[in-house]
């Protein structure tokens, strides 16, 4: 299983200039590839292959006066940019055919130097390495200072350098994890839990535990409002506006980082304590079209369930998603009688069949657990297959890693 481990980078002024050149060159090659394919489509000709594009847009372009500056960056960066364009077209065509799961993917768009996210990727043949002093040595960029928050579990296969909207630099390593080593990290348990996600409480467990919603965005709204107001008053194109835009981006990054940290800590805790976990397959996109849209996005349910999914697969746990139309809030968890729909302001109700008094959220969590059938399938059952992507970051302790930093 492949995972991403992201670490903060602190390049100096010279290295930032070199990274800016690399971002620009990768962006130009990507745009040239999209332009070449669009020209072929309009002319009714077959799309040029990846090899033809590599020869035309990199090898031959370096010999021209207009593109001679492409030789100032690593060739691997340019090749990976072509691969990104190829992957974008592949996803687009697969989406048109219906063979690609998830939302429809549009055709590749041209990249801009004003995009909030810039990135370049170095594979193993780029000869990058981690120095003995803990710095990341990148070709034609230099040894960049890294803030290590944990040791890498294995030798990474590639590293992606990312600059986000807040002007921060990150090194994202892709690592192949060892399933045997991962299996020994989690304690043995046969506990099973159902989770009911909400807004007042972020999660209510079937054992009665209630986890309050941190509401990171709501708590930061006053600061965000002030930052946006300052941005709107700055003249477009001025340096003051650029600085104000950075302040807005940093404020939003603080909210996103706090939410991600909360999701990681909670998902890891639930995975370590339970063998089987049941959740509802919520329609977040549908809920985001209601008057509760801001609160729904603030909760970040999709991100949390995604973390549960890949961690369950990594550590051999069972995660089951039940249908979103299951009447978990209408069914009595004691006798199974369906008592009908109830407005959201009803937080406690009494079953008309057996007279049991239910807490709405706890009862729903118990019904989620029952509907998933985990009492029979949790112990030793295979994990339901889920699409697993390399994650951007994981929580960890601070401090420099010990021993070999690449292993």
């Amino acid at each position: 299983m492949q995972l991403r481990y992201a670490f903060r980078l602190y390049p100096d002024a010279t290295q930032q200039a070199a990274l800016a050149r690399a971002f620009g060159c990768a962006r130009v090659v990507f745009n040239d590839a999209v332009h070449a394919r669009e020209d072929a489509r309009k002319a009714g000709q077959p799309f040029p292959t990846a090899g033809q594009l590599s020869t035309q847009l990199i090898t031959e372009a370096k010999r021209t006066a207009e593109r001679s500056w492409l030789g100032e960056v690593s060739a691997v960066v340019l090749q990976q940019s072509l691969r990104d364009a190829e992957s974008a077209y592949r996803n687009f065509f697969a989406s048109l055919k219906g063979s690609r799961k998830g939302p429809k993917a549009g055709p590749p768009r041209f990249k801009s130097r004003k995009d909030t996210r810039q990135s370049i990727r170095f594979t193993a043949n780029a000869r990058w390495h981690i120095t003995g002093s803990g710095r990341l040595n990148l070709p034609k960029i230099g040894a960049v200072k890294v803030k290590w928050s944990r040791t890498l579990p294995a030798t990474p296969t590639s590293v992606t350098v990312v600059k986000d909207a807040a002007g921060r630099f990150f090194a994202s390593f892709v690592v192949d994890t060892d399933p045997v080593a991962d299996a020994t990290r989690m304690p043995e348990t046969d506990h099973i839990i159902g989770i009911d996600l909400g807004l007042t409480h972020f999660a209510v467990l079937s054992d009665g535990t209630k986890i309050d919603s941190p509401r990171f965005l709501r708590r930061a709204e006053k600061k965000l409002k002030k930052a946006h107001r300052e941005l709107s008053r700055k003249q477009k194109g001025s340096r003051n506006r650029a600085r104000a835009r950075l302040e807005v981006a940093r404020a939003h990054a603080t909210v996103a980082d706090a939410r991600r940290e909360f999701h990681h800590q909670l998902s890891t805790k639930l995975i370590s304590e339970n063998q089987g976990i049941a959740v509802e397959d919520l329609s977040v996109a549908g809920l985001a079209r209601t008057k509760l849209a801001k609160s729904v996005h603030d909760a970040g349910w999709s991100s949390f369930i995604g973390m549960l999914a890949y961690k369950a697969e990594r550590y051999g746990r069972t995660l089951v998603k039940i249908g979103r139309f299951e009447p978990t809030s209408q069914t009595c968890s004691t006798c199974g009688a369906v008592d009908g729909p109830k407005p959201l302001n009803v937080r406690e109700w009494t079953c008309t069949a057996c007279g049991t008094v239910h807490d709405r959220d706890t009862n729903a969590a118990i019904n989620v657990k029952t509907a998933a059938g985990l009492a029979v399938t949790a112990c030793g059952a295979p994990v339901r297959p889920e699409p697993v992507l390399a994650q951007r970051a994981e929580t960890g302790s601070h401090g420099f890693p010990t021993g070999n930093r690449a292993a």
Side-chain angles (χ1 to χ4, degrees), residues 275-305:
Q275 174 63 36
I277 300 176
V279 294
E280 283 185 288
D281 184 18
L282 298 173
S283 176
V284 177
L287 292 171
R289 291 193 292 266
T290 66
K291 62 182 180 180
L292 301 174
K294 183 181 288 188
S295 297
V296 170
H297 286 306
D298 190 13
W301 294 329
S302 294
S303 173
F304 175 70
I305 294 177

Side-chain angles (χ1 to χ4, degrees), residues 109-340:
R109 296 179 294 182
F110 293 108
K111 293 184 177 181
S112 170
R113 64 182 180 86
K114 296 183 179 180
D115 289 343
T116 57
R117 186 181 185 275
Q118 305 284 342
S119 66
I120 52 175
R121 186 167 60 254
F122 297 90
T123 52
N125 57 349
R127 297 180 181 178
W128 61 271
H129 64 276
I130 301 173
T131 66
S133 60
R135 289 177 176 255
L136 177 62
N137 197 348
L138 300 173
K140 297 191 177 182
I141 294 174
V144 186
K145 181 182 178 182
V146 185
K147 179 64 175 178
W148 297 100
S149 57
R150 55 162 51 179
T151 56
L152 292 173
T155 303
T157 58
S158 69
V159 59
T160 302
V161 180
V162 180
K163 182 182 179 182
D164 66 3
R168 302 178 301 177
F169 292 87
F170 293 91
S172 180
F173 299 92
V174 174
V175 177
D176 291 315
T177 60
D178 183 7
V180 178
D182 290 338
T184 60
R185 292 179 58 184
M186 289 296 167
E188 292 290 336
T189 179
D190 57 357
H191 197 252
I192 303 166
I193 206 75
I195 304 175
D196 178 64
L197 298 175
L199 296 178
T200 303
H201 294 92
F202 178 79
V204 177
L205 309 184
S206 56
D207 59 4
T209 304
K210 294 186 177 182
I211 301 166
D212 291 333
S213 179
R215 300 181 181 179
F216 296 106
L217 180 62
R218 294 291 187 181
R219 285 160 47 188
E221 273 187 322
K222 186 176 180 180
K223 182 178 180 180
L224 289 170
K225 183 178 179 180
K226 180 180 179 181
H228 278 283
R229 183 169 62 245
E230 293 296 327
L231 175 63
S232 67
R233 292 173 177 173
K234 300 298 185 291
Q235 184 178 357
K236 291 187 177 180
S238 65
R239 291 186 178 182
N240 284 339
R241 185 177 179 86
R243 281 193 290 265
R245 188 204 64 78
L246 271 180
E247 290 299 323
V248 172
R250 287 167 183 163
H252 281 287
T254 300
V255 173
D257 290 346
R259 183 187 297 117
R260 188 183 305 111
E261 179 78 4
F262 169 74
H263 288 166
H264 269 301
Q265 290 183 355
L266 180 58
S267 59
T268 300
K269 182 176 183 295
L270 293 175
I271 288 293
S272 63
E273 295 177 352
N274 302 280
Q275 174 63 36
I277 300 176
V279 294
E280 283 185 288
D281 184 18
L282 298 173
S283 176
V284 177
L287 292 171
R289 291 193 292 266
T290 66
K291 62 182 180 180
L292 301 174
K294 183 181 288 188
S295 297
V296 170
H297 286 306
D298 190 13
W301 294 329
S302 294
S303 173
F304 175 70
I305 294 177
M307 290 181 185
L308 283 177
Y310 90 82
K311 290 180 182 180
E313 180 169 349
R314 180 183 183 185
Y315 297 114
R317 306 303 201 195
T318 302
L319 177 69
V320 178
K321 299 178 183 178
I322 70 168
R324 65 190 61 166
F325 300 109
E326 193 75 24
T328 55
S329 297
Q330 306 175 21
T331 306
C332 173
S333 58
T334 303
C335 66
V338 180
D339 208 7

